[in-house]
Amino acid sequence: MKKNIIKASAFLLAFVLSLSAIGGILSYKFNDSTHKISSFYHLPRKSLDVLVLGTSHAFMGVNTASLWKNYGVAAFSLCGPVLPMWNAYYYLVEALKTQSPKVVVLDLFSLTQDFEYQKEEFAIKNTYGLRFSLTKLQSIKASFDMKQKDAYVHYFGLLQTHSRYSELNSVDWLPYYADEAQYKNFTGFQYSLQTKADSEPDFSNVTGTQEPAKKQLQYFKKILELSAKKKIPVMLTMIPYPHANANQYKMMRYGSELAKKEYGIATYDYINTLKKSVGLDYSKDFGDDSHLNWKGTLKLAKAMGKTLTTKYNVADRRGAKKYENTWGQNASYIYNFFDNKKVPAITSADDYVDVVNTERYLTVITYTLRSGKKTPTSIRTFLRSLNIPKEQYMQGGVWILQGGAAQYYSNDRSDGYVKNIKLTKRILAHVETKPKKTEGKTENVYYIYYGGSAKMPSTYGLNIFVFDTFNQKVVDCVAVKGKDDTLYR
């Protein structure tokens, strides 16, 4: 009898674990919602100082990387698209199970939404990423109209996602959505590189308030009450967006006045103050009708960082390993991204030496010297600047450098030569020789391959392939053809 119970228990456990694994693979993956929630669960316990709640205005406005780099603030944007106050409330409940934030930043835009239930696509995005618990079930109940036919399937996500078999790809199978560098230490902030010139909303003559929708207001109060119960200060914000209207502004002001009157909570009206305090420019600092772009987020972070550190006494965590391993790594990834974008703008080989010498860059260089030809001066100069020996650069070959330091060299051009290059645990490149007929003569030429295709701006000449080993992304692929030090792409 005892053995049968043990067998049955083992079978049940295996079944539950298998079902959980299958559910994880088949689950929806959205970088504007479920990715954030998943990354939140990976934070070290009790490491979070600032919890940001709100819609896309918040997760595309509050620059957690800049807050870290310039103020040492450990902030996470646990936000979602068109996030209503009820989802924000249950996010707070979920967050408090593992974190003890020093401040909750709540953007007031959610109060302006007048629906009782979101569109299904957004409700799915804002609930499915939560781990199975009473909190998730309560969030689902608040998010979907359970009077609707088949609404119950949302309680059991696998019933909704089981048909995704044909859609599965590496994002579903691999850890961190097949992009470990970006999502392992993701802190919820997303940014726009676009610029959309717009006009500034003018609320100088707007007076009075307007009561928000009943359900939004109900959960807004629940957030304030829970924060007060846990003795967590709340910082309310109005993040700028060009198409704000007077009614929306009045509803946000209603929430602001209620919070101040009943809880003594301050609101930071960045819609009206950011232009004067940090020079927000509506013609340059927005990516679309609703969201700040990268430049705009830097200005908001400057204002918020000062407030968080002086008014709310949020500590500077820079230098502390526990925090550097998450927020420091995330900030490095984002700022590296912008440094990497500058590289393709470089046009001369002389200026490219500093690129190859960048510590996090792995560089593959190939130079096929045609029979009877001499190495051109521009190529000799470039390779000499990288401390490549004369006996190597005068005959050509394959070089692999990490941070400018040579790791490998070969001048083997025989048939079948292949050099495999492990860029990361899962990303490979390789160099191989292939015959090429030129001017009636056939000889082997070096080819660099990445992602199944050749990265060869020039068949003959010097080819340079640059890979960022920290961000795990290709940075550039250029060639020096030899006539001068001009780079070709």
Side-chain angles (χ1 to χ4, degrees):
M1 179 68 176
K2 187 176 180 180
K3 288 184 177 180
N4 289 336
I5 292 174
I6 293 173
K7 286 181 179 180
S9 299
F11 174 79
L12 182 61
L13 178 62
F15 176 76
V16 170
L17 292 175
S18 298
L19 200 63
S20 176
I22 292 170
I25 292 169
L26 292 173
S27 65
Y28 294 124
K29 280 88 176 174
F30 305 109
N31 63 358
D32 62 355
S33 52
T34 59
H35 285 19
K36 300 179 193 300
I37 302 171
S38 176
S39 294
F40 180 84
Y41 286 129
H42 285 96
L43 291 178
R45 289 180 66 87
K46 299 187 182 301
S47 63
L48 178 64
D49 286 337
V50 178
L51 176 66
V52 182
L53 301 171
T55 66
S56 57
H57 292 189
F59 74 67
M60 293 191 69
V62 180
N63 189 329
T64 56
S66 180
L67 286 174
W68 172 263
K69 182 179 181 181
N70 296 300
Y71 300 93
V73 170
F76 192 101
S77 287
L78 190 57
C79 306
V82 200
L83 192 85
M85 283 294 176
W86 49 91
N87 288 141
Y89 169 73
Y90 288 113
Y91 280 0
L92 176 59
V93 172
E94 187 73 2
L96 294 179
K97 294 176 183 178
T98 56
Q99 300 295 332
S100 300
K102 309 302 183 291
V103 183
V104 170
V105 174
L106 176 62
D107 188 59
L108 288 168
F109 180 74
S110 292
L111 277 180
T112 69
Q113 302 173 133
D114 61 359
F115 50 77
E116 187 170 0
Y117 298 101
Q118 295 170 281
K119 291 181 179 179
E120 185 180 52
E121 62 180 293
F122 293 119
I124 286 174
K125 284 188 171 187
N126 292 324
T127 59
Y128 273 38
L130 292 168
R131 288 175 176 169
F132 187 79
S133 66
L134 178 60
T135 304
K136 178 172 184 174
L137 297 178
Q138 290 171 329
S139 183
I140 289 172
K141 183 179 180 181
S143 303
F144 297 92
D145 184 357
M146 290 301 161
K147 295 177 183 178
Q148 297 294 316
K149 183 181 178 181
D150 295 334
Y152 72 90
V153 300
H154 298 296
Y155 285 123
F156 310 97
L158 192 55
L159 295 178
Q160 178 76 10
T161 62
H162 70 277
S163 60
R164 287 194 63 240
Y165 291 106
S166 61
E167 304 172 14
L168 298 180
N169 55 42
S170 61
V171 171
D172 297 289
W173 294 100
L174 295 176
Y176 304 107
Y177 312 107
D179 194 345
E180 182 174 346
Q182 180 173 3
Y183 290 114
K184 183 177 182 179
N185 299 297
F186 186 45
T187 58
F189 167 60
Q190 293 175 256
Y191 45 90
S192 170
L193 302 178
Q194 306 300 314
T195 298
K196 184 179 185 298
D198 221 314
S199 56
E200 179 183 357
D202 182 8
F203 298 125
S204 58
N205 296 319
V206 175
T207 58
T209 63
Q210 182 174 324
E211 186 172 351
K214 182 179 178 180
K215 188 176 177 182
Q216 298 283 9
L217 190 59
Q218 173 192 351
Y219 280 90
F220 173 63
K221 292 178 180 178
K222 286 169 76 73
I223 292 172
L224 303 186
E225 289 165 2
L226 178 57
S227 300
K229 181 180 178 180
K230 298 293 184 179
K231 297 182 180 180
I232 305 171
V234 176
M235 174 182 172
L236 298 178
T237 62
M238 298 184 195
I239 294 176
Y241 62 106
H243 289 202
N245 60 53
N247 288 337
Q248 290 173 331
Y249 186 70
K250 287 181 179 180
M251 284 187 269
M252 288 189 282
R253 196 152 66 181
Y254 183 101
S256 171
E257 292 184 6
L258 181 152
K260 183 177 181 180
K261 180 180 178 181
E262 297 188 13
Y263 298 92
I265 293 172
T267 298
Y268 293 83
D269 181 357
Y270 294 123
I271 292 176
N272 282 323
T273 63
L274 217 57
K275 180 178 180 180
K276 183 177 180 180
S277 64
V278 293
L280 186 71
D281 187 339
Y282 277 77
S283 68
K284 298 178 181 178
D285 294 334
F286 287 84
D288 55 35
D289 294 343
S290 302
H291 307 105
L292 293 165
N293 60 19
W294 171 257
K295 292 179 291 184
T297 67
L298 294 176
K299 294 179 180 180
L300 177 60
K302 184 176 181 180
M304 286 188 69
K306 184 177 180 180
T307 299
L308 287 167
T309 53
T310 59
K311 301 290 186 182
Y312 295 90
N313 299 314
V314 175
D316 182 347
R317 303 293 190 179
R318 286 172 293 186
K321 185 176 180 180
K322 177 179 178 180
Y323 295 87
E324 288 285 356
N325 286 346
T326 298
W327 283 274
Q329 295 284 298
N330 175 70
S332 293
Y333 177 89
I334 291 175
Y335 281 94
N336 287 350
F337 170 82
F338 284 94
D339 286 343
N340 291 350
K341 284 183 67 65
K342 299 174 184 176
V343 173
I346 297 173
T347 58
S348 75
D350 184 53
D351 294 332
Y352 215 78
V353 173
D354 288 340
V355 173
V356 178
N357 286 331
T358 301
E359 186 176 352
R360 68 179 187 274
Y361 289 167
L362 184 148
T363 305
V364 181
I365 300 175
T366 65
Y367 174 42
T368 302
L369 179 63
R370 294 172 62 185
S371 299
K373 302 290 184 180
K374 292 183 179 181
T375 302
T377 301
S378 58
I379 293 178
R380 289 203 309 269
T381 302
F382 178 77
L383 292 175
R384 192 164 52 236
S385 298
L386 296 174
N387 298 314
I388 303 297
K390 181 178 180 180
E391 60 269 21
Q392 292 182 10
Y393 67 67
M394 292 303 288
Q395 60 184 337
V398 178
W399 295 267
I400 301 175
L401 303 92
Q402 178 70 56
Q407 306 291 313
Y408 172 86
Y409 169 70
S410 174
N411 64 348
D412 184 356
R413 285 171 60 186
S414 62
D415 294 342
Y417 167 80
V418 175
K419 172 59 180 176
N420 292 311
I421 306 162
K422 191 173 184 179
L423 302 174
T424 70
K425 288 186 291 187
R426 295 187 178 89
I427 303 175
L428 299 174
H430 75 273
V431 177
E432 66 177 74
T433 55
K434 283 189 173 184
K436 174 75 175 180
K437 188 174 183 179
T438 304
E439 297 178 356
K441 187 175 182 179
T442 300
E443 55 187 339
N444 285 342
V445 173
Y446 292 116
Y447 284 82
I448 304 171
Y449 280 87
Y450 173 82
S453 60
K455 303 297 180 182
M456 296 288 293
S458 174
T459 302
Y460 293 102
L462 192 77
N463 286 287
I464 310 167
F465 172 84
V466 182
F467 185 86
D468 184 338
T469 57
F470 186 98
N471 282 34
Q472 299 183 13
K473 299 289 189 298
V474 175
V475 177
D476 201 11
C477 190
V478 298
V480 182
K481 294 185 177 181
K483 295 179 181 179
D484 52 35
D485 79 340
T486 300
L487 296 178
Y488 295 85
R489 292 177 172 85

